[in-house]
Amino acid sequence: MAASASIYNFLTLLLLCGIPYTFSELVKEQPLVLKYHNGPLLKGKITVNLIWYGKFSPTQRSIIVDFINSLSSAVKPKVPSASFWWKTTEKYKSGSSTLVVGKQILLENYPLGKTLKNPHLPALAGKFNGVGTVSVILTAKDVAVEGFCMRCGTHGSNRVGRGRVRGTFIWVGNSETQCPGQCAWPFHQPIYGPQTPPLVAPNGDVGIDGMIINLATLLANTVTNPFNNGYFQGPADAPLEAVSACTGIFGSGSYPGYPGKLLVEKSTGASYNANGINGRKYLLPAMWDPHTSRCKTLV
């Protein structure tokens, strides 16, 4: 966040001073290298188990399940596609990471209450333990999670049994009523920076479409840096990872406060950049490409 803020302040200063630089020229001056720290990555078949904490409608659940299935779908979708976006992860030390939705648990009665602390997350993830799995905890819009507005979601690992093998987990929260300016942008007015009009969400649900952006980010970050010794830049406890290194970039020509050039659905006016299965459309963030050392967008 500090690096992003310093870049934004630098751009603002240049604009105010009338210095004739374009945003693209300025961005080119910023090197971006994610170092590989020699740790294991998640490759091969990866089972994604879902823990729905709180109340989600069947439609909301289907949007998210369809998204995960779209990433490794054998069905050839329209281009640009979510599966093509995901293929960039194959460039991280080579080898594919094929995601398959596994088991799902509905915890609609809030067994740990409506305010979760950080230790609750690995505890919930422990409901599904196993090698080659990712436990995804999805919290409903009325569930507060410690540090929600500072991160919008997180990923980590925990021990499986008494051995050294570790399982991985992700938490993503629905930000419809909790800091949507941070966690659901560009489908909501940003809390700071240029106040551009919010985009229309492709699935008609600001909270869920915001969750898709954060889930996409964390799935890519997890398979490329599952145990804090994979690909990242900066300190291991606060790293810039595969997608978090490209925060705020969704299409070509993006700059702070502007997500970039996107596709627009004529019938709804919704903005998107990826097609998925079952006719779904999604907005996915840029991902760092190890072959070019640039943030790669779909459009």
Side-chain angles (χ1 to χ4, degrees):
M1 290 296 291
S4 299
S6 63
I7 293 172
Y8 173 72
N9 291 335
F10 178 55
L11 291 172
T12 303
L13 178 62
L14 290 178
L15 288 174
L16 291 175
C17 293
I19 298 175
Y21 285 101
T22 66
F23 282 108
S24 60
E25 289 172 337
L26 289 168
V27 171
K28 288 178 182 177
E29 295 177 6
Q30 305 298 323
L32 181 60
V33 177
L34 302 190
K35 181 181 177 182
Y36 176 52
H37 294 77
N38 301 312
L41 309 184
L42 297 187
K43 296 291 183 179
K45 180 181 177 180
I46 302 167
T47 301
V48 180
N49 298 312
L50 304 177
I51 302 163
W52 303 92
Y53 192 91
K55 293 179 173 61
F56 290 86
S57 71
T59 298
Q60 290 177 323
R61 295 199 299 269
S62 68
I63 292 169
I64 290 176
V65 170
D66 280 353
F67 166 67
I68 298 171
N69 284 328
S70 293
L71 296 178
S72 301
S73 174
V75 178
K76 190 174 182 180
K78 295 180 181 178
V79 292
S81 67
S83 58
F84 183 75
W85 177 83
W86 185 250
K87 282 182 71 68
T88 300
T89 62
E90 296 180 11
K91 300 180 182 181
Y92 288 72
K93 298 302 290 182
S94 300
S96 63
S97 302
T98 303
L99 304 183
V100 179
V101 175
K103 298 178 181 178
Q104 301 184 51
I105 293 180
L106 303 182
L107 301 177
E108 295 184 323
N109 60 343
Y110 311 92
L112 298 177
K114 291 188 176 182
T115 301
L116 300 182
K117 299 295 185 181
N118 286 329
H120 288 140
L121 301 179
L124 286 168
K127 293 181 178 296
F128 296 118
N129 278 327
V131 181
T133 67
V134 179
S135 296
V136 178
I137 305 152
L138 301 144
T139 52
K141 64 182 180 181
D142 57 348
V143 177
V145 178
E146 184 177 357
F148 194 125
C149 297
M150 298 296 294
R151 51 186 180 168
C152 308
T154 191
H155 76 95
S157 63
N158 51 7
R159 300 288 179 181
V160 177
R162 297 183 179 180
R164 295 183 178 181
V165 178
R166 287 184 288 180
T168 58
F169 69 88
I170 289 170
W171 159 69
V172 177
N174 185 332
S175 65
E176 179 183 340
T177 58
Q178 298 181 71
C179 30
Q182 291 110 311
C183 302
W185 184 84
F187 302 126
H188 190 280
Q189 287 287 124
I191 196 169
Y192 55 84
Q195 295 297 301
T196 53
L199 304 180
V200 177
N203 293 286
D205 189 320
V206 169
I208 296 298
D209 280 300
M211 289 183 80
I212 294 294
I213 293 173
N214 296 316
L215 179 58
T217 298
L218 291 163
L219 284 169
N221 291 353
T222 296
V223 301
T224 58
N225 186 33
F227 308 116
N228 290 332
N229 54 8
Y231 280 87
F232 66 89
Q233 181 190 87
D237 59 348
L240 289 177
E241 300 172 289
V243 178
S244 59
C246 302
T247 297
I249 302 173
F250 295 90
S252 60
S254 67
Y255 53 83
Y258 173 61
K261 185 177 180 180
L262 303 172
L263 302 175
V264 177
E265 175 64 38
K266 292 181 179 179
S267 61
T268 63
S271 296
Y272 70 101
N273 60 7
N275 291 285
I277 64 172
N278 298 326
R280 297 286 189 194
K281 291 177 170 57
Y282 300 104
L283 183 64
L284 303 182
M287 189 187 309
W288 185 75
D289 187 331
H291 290 181
T292 63
S293 294
R294 293 175 179 272
C295 289
K296 180 180 179 181
T297 61
L298 283 171
V299 294

